[in-house]
Amino acid sequence: MKTPPPAEAPALPVSQAVAGGAAASGRRLVMIGHGMVSHRFCVEWTKLAPPGFHLTILAEEPVPAYDRIHLTQGLGIEGEAHLQLAPPSWYAGHGIELALGDAVAHIDRKNQQVTTRQGRIFEYDFLILATGSSARRLPVPGAELPGVYVYRTLADLAAIRQKAATAQTAAVLGGGLLGLEAARALLDLGVQTHVLEAAHGLMSRQLHAEASQMLEHRVKSTGLKVLTGCITTAITQTGNALQLHFRDERSLTVDMIVMAAGVEPRDELARACGLQTGARGGILVNEALESSDPAIFAIGECALPRGVFYGFAAPGFDMARVLAERLAGRNSLFIPSEYPVRLKLAGTDVVTIGDIRGEGSLLVWKSQGMLKQILLDEGRVSGVSLFGSTEDVGRLQTALLQRRRLRSWEQTRFVKTGSPWKPAATEVTQWPATTAVCQCTGVTRGRLSCAFEAGCKTVAALSAETGAGTVCGSCRPLLAQLCGSTVSPAARLARPLLWTCLIAILFTAAHSLLPPIPLSRTVAAFRYDQLWLNGFWKQLTGYVLLGLVLLALLLPLRKRVRALVRVGDYGLWRFLHTALGVLSLLVLVSHTGFRLGFNLNKVLMLNMLTLALTGAFSGAVIALSHRLPPVSARWLQMGWTCVHALLTWPLVVLVLFHILTVYRY
């Protein structure tokens, strides 16, 4: 998150020591810290390949940089290979010296040397501090007890995973982005999890009360317990159990506790060597990312550009790019921006940009579990909050960055339709360069346009160069538009996918509209109605149907688990998912004979049919995306996919109740 700059933060002058061709002579470049921002610097550095520099990275952890953004997904997977951003051989292949597992103990600014804990000395001409941040441990008695964890590193991840294997209950302290994601990961491990938030709502720093309440309701529907206004005063231990004591005299007993209440910049090395730091921590730097010592730079979460602290990755990536360009001789500067804060949980997107809780006039649109809010300051966009729908997020971010005024008719249109603009005005080629096209990776339109001008003329080439479209793929129609195509590229296996979806739609219609198959009136050796009258056949078809449905539900997890993202062909996996849906409908006929049933069974049948229908519509849109306008294809795909995902949650509950009622009664 972004915090206001301290009042005493000085404006450090911009030195010309690097810009203007200083890279031409031999220089020793040392970087302390090796997280995501450090790795991004290496990637940008290798693209520029400035001559005469030798880059050395000194890392505290014994493994190369890994993906902290998807750290929660690693709770269910042993090892860290799926999170690794690049193997050690990649750094060696690009001439980067990587020293792992040896933290820096001291910086000697006078002699321009750093000394590690193992006593090794590295001399530098330029030093980069990329020490990141540490998880904030709440200052309450008992915070250091066994069974109380923070959530930041692979070591933390391993400890939490080991404890979760035997724990029945857990508490996560913090109802923000990291806390909610950690809680969801623990719940997926089978641990009953409570989310404890000191404020009176989840994500209270980003959301208004109504959006916070909607998020809380959605989070509870996934099985998480939520306690807000819950201030922890102490933690005590009784046997193997931990007890949290709250200010209002309530208490909660759990097996383990995870603190996810924010991060603090790591500036201990900077303080020790006399660099200027902020009142609340962090290394003060200017637009050139120089500290108070022109030979020392800071990037990422340890840095405070003009006194501002950013607690997430996107600004750090921008800093890494700017510093790499400056060290290569360019006059790049870090220009602060309003970065979207995004939570993706249980099929629900929550995006906030700017300060939605500030002073001004609040415009609200609400419909069917979706809530959009725009804060206007003297008629200009100053804050945006989107719950359940990310439509127009790129244009709204641009409007906020430019402090654009919303006219009275645009305000009226937003309140009525949820969008200030007509759909035809959403051409991605007209977006400002700073607008994020790929929300998953934060790749901007400007970066994509530069890659296109450099020779990346296809969607595949743009994705390979920038990383856009490599996670969920929903932005690929926009990439096609940037490549000059009026349509999206044809999806893999588009024709068989389309036919499968059409079959699914026909079977769903048959289940809904055709009368039940009549009972057999013959006394033949085999009567087809025994499929839904005989207990053995009924159980057999029921369990086959259950297995097919579970397998179909598990297949989409491939793109959420980084270890599986590159396994097989995504188009083939998608086709298999749809084929399983059709096969499930066929088995459903043998299980019910086109009978919808009554009461709970009828609700279950309607849920399964609606789930199949929305999945078929989503697949059909993907199969026809090359015949649709890119923007329309994107929003149709995201809309049907979101509805399809939301319907899976009641299905699981209804199936469990159905099984219980069959065997209990």
Side-chain angles (χ1 to χ4, degrees):
M1 274 32 79
K2 190 174 77 172
T3 58
E8 77 280 9
L12 301 178
V14 176
S15 168
Q16 298 299 317
V18 175
S25 58
R27 298 295 177 94
R28 296 162 298 183
L29 180 61
V30 175
M31 180 157 56
I32 302 176
H34 191 42
M36 294 183 67
V37 172
S38 172
H39 173 74
R40 179 59 65 92
F41 176 86
C42 293
V43 171
E44 300 293 341
W45 183 256
T46 56
K47 290 180 182 178
L48 298 169
F53 269 97
H54 177 73
L55 174 59
T56 302
I57 300 175
L58 307 178
E60 181 178 25
E61 293 187 77
V63 294
Y66 51 88
D67 185 355
R68 294 188 196 275
I69 295 176
H70 294 91
L71 197 63
T72 51
Q73 298 178 5
L75 274 177
I77 304 174
E78 292 290 343
E80 67 278 347
H82 62 290
L83 293 172
Q84 190 178 85
L85 296 175
S89 58
W90 182 88
Y91 300 94
H94 288 89
I96 300 173
E97 181 182 355
L98 186 60
L100 300 173
D102 190 10
V104 172
H106 175 68
I107 299 174
D108 182 351
R109 291 169 53 194
K110 181 179 180 181
N111 296 312
Q112 293 191 306
Q113 295 177 341
V114 295
T115 304
T116 69
R117 291 177 182 173
Q118 296 179 8
R120 293 191 293 175
I121 297 176
F122 295 84
E123 297 182 341
Y124 67 85
D125 294 297
F126 293 109
L127 179 66
I128 305 172
L129 298 178
T131 50
S133 60
S134 57
R136 180 170 175 256
R137 191 177 286 270
L138 296 178
V140 298
E144 303 293 338
L145 286 172
V148 181
Y149 305 92
V150 292
Y151 194 62
R152 187 64 180 167
T153 67
L154 284 176
D156 299 331
L157 190 75
I160 292 172
R161 187 193 300 117
Q162 182 178 4
K163 181 64 176 179
T166 57
Q168 299 295 319
T169 57
V172 175
L173 304 188
L177 292 171
L178 185 60
L180 292 174
E181 291 180 354
R184 179 66 202 179
L186 286 170
L187 185 66
D188 289 341
L189 289 176
V191 182
Q192 183 181 352
T193 306
H194 299 75
V195 179
L196 310 181
E197 171 56 45
H200 291 285
L202 299 178
M203 292 183 65
S204 58
R205 294 180 60 184
Q206 293 85 28
L207 300 178
H208 263 292
E210 186 176 9
S212 183
Q213 289 173 3
M214 292 178 69
L215 177 60
E216 182 175 338
H217 177 74
R218 190 66 57 85
V219 167
K220 287 181 177 178
S221 70
T222 67
L224 291 170
K225 311 292 183 181
V226 178
L227 296 175
T228 58
C230 196
I231 301 176
T232 303
T233 57
I235 301 173
T236 58
Q237 187 171 24
T238 304
N240 293 325
L242 296 167
Q243 190 169 36
L244 296 110
H245 302 272
F246 308 130
R247 181 177 293 179
D248 57 7
E249 298 185 355
R250 290 182 296 171
S251 64
L252 176 67
T253 301
V254 294
D255 297 322
M256 63 183 297
I257 297 171
V258 176
M259 292 190 175
V263 295
E264 298 172 337
R266 294 192 60 180
D267 60 3
E268 56 269 25
L269 288 172
R271 289 182 181 275
C273 71
L275 295 178
Q276 292 185 22
T277 56
R280 299 180 182 177
I283 306 163
L284 292 173
V285 295
N286 55 25
E287 293 94 335
L289 302 171
E290 295 172 338
S291 69
S292 52
D293 183 335
I296 301 179
F297 304 86
I299 57 176
E301 294 177 358
C302 68
L304 272 65
R306 295 298 183 184
V308 178
F309 169 66
Y310 296 91
F312 49 101
F317 292 163
D318 282 348
M319 294 183 210
R321 175 186 54 79
V322 168
L323 183 55
E325 291 174 354
R326 287 195 63 82
L327 289 170
R330 302 181 185 178
N331 287 312
S332 300
L333 296 175
F334 176 73
I335 307 300
S337 179
E338 291 289 354
Y339 297 91
V341 176
R342 183 167 190 166
L343 170 70
K344 200 165 188 176
L345 183 72
T348 297
D349 273 346
V350 181
V351 178
T352 63
I353 313 171
D355 184 11
I356 192 65
R357 297 173 58 86
E359 297 293 330
S361 174
L362 187 66
L363 303 179
V364 179
W365 175 82
K366 184 177 180 181
S367 175
Q368 299 178 348
M370 294 183 291
L371 178 67
K372 298 182 180 182
Q373 298 171 316
I374 297 178
L375 184 68
L376 299 179
D377 182 11
E378 297 182 353
R380 301 182 184 276
V381 179
S382 61
V384 175
S385 174
L386 306 176
F387 180 92
S389 172
T390 58
E391 185 180 5
D392 287 334
V393 62
R395 296 197 71 201
L396 287 169
Q397 182 185 10
T398 300
L400 188 146
L401 291 173
Q402 297 179 349
R403 295 283 294 170
R404 183 179 300 171
R405 182 183 298 277
L406 285 189
R407 307 300 179 184
S408 58
W409 59 87
E410 292 175 326
Q411 298 181 32
T412 302
R413 184 184 290 122
F414 173 79
V415 173
K416 290 182 177 180
T417 68
S419 175
W421 307 286
K422 296 179 180 179
T426 57
E427 290 292 328
V428 67
T429 53
Q430 300 176 8
W431 291 5
T434 56
T435 302
V437 174
C438 179
Q439 295 295 318
C440 295
T441 60
V443 177
T444 63
R445 199 279 300 162
R447 184 178 173 192
L448 288 165
S449 295
C450 290
F452 178 80
E453 294 297 329
C456 300
K457 303 297 184 180
T458 65
V459 173
L462 282 177
S463 294
E465 174 66 19
T466 65
T470 57
V471 181
C472 73
S474 62
C475 66
R476 291 177 67 83
L478 299 180
L479 302 187
Q481 195 179 90
L482 281 170
C483 291
S485 174
T486 57
V487 295
S488 308
R492 169 87 166 125
L493 299 174
R495 188 181 295 273
L497 176 64
L498 178 60
W499 280 108
T500 307
C501 291
L502 291 177
I503 294 172
I505 293 172
L506 290 175
F507 266 101
T508 305
H511 273 281
S512 305
L513 302 177
L514 291 181
I517 299 175
L519 299 179
S520 175
R521 297 184 179 181
T522 70
V523 290
F526 176 76
R527 294 175 53 185
Y528 59 80
D529 55 7
Q530 292 302 302
L531 288 173
W532 51 84
L533 293 179
N534 183 276
F536 170 77
W537 291 107
K538 191 77 171 176
Q539 289 190 55
L540 179 62
T541 56
Y543 279 112
V544 170
L545 179 60
L546 178 62
L548 291 172
V549 171
L550 288 177
L551 185 57
L553 293 178
L554 290 174
L555 280 180
L557 295 179
R558 169 193 176 272
K559 72 175 184 179
R560 303 297 178 195
V561 180
R562 291 182 64 86
L564 299 177
V565 167
R566 300 184 183 276
V567 176
D569 180 86
Y570 183 75
L572 179 59
W573 283 64
R574 181 166 49 204
F575 173 72
L576 290 176
H577 175 73
T578 310
L580 283 172
V582 172
L583 189 57
S584 299
L585 290 173
L586 286 170
V587 178
L588 189 62
V589 175
S590 65
H591 188 66
T592 64
F594 288 135
R595 290 166 175 80
L596 292 179
F598 302 95
N599 301 326
L600 184 64
N601 288 340
K602 187 172 185 178
V603 176
L604 173 58
M605 282 291 295
L606 292 175
N607 177 262
M608 292 187 67
L609 294 176
T610 309
L611 182 67
L613 188 63
T614 55
F617 283 157
S618 175
V621 170
I622 295 172
L624 294 172
S625 60
H626 60 290
R627 299 181 180 273
L628 298 172
V631 174
S632 299
R634 184 191 185 203
W635 295 124
L636 283 171
Q637 178 188 343
M638 291 181 64
W640 284 117
T641 302
C642 181
V643 176
H644 183 64
L646 288 175
L647 288 171
T648 60
W649 298 104
L651 175 67
V652 174
V653 176
L654 289 168
V655 168
L656 290 176
F657 272 108
H658 177 73
I659 295 174
L660 287 174
T661 54
V662 168
Y663 285 97
R664 179 66 177 85
Y665 301 105

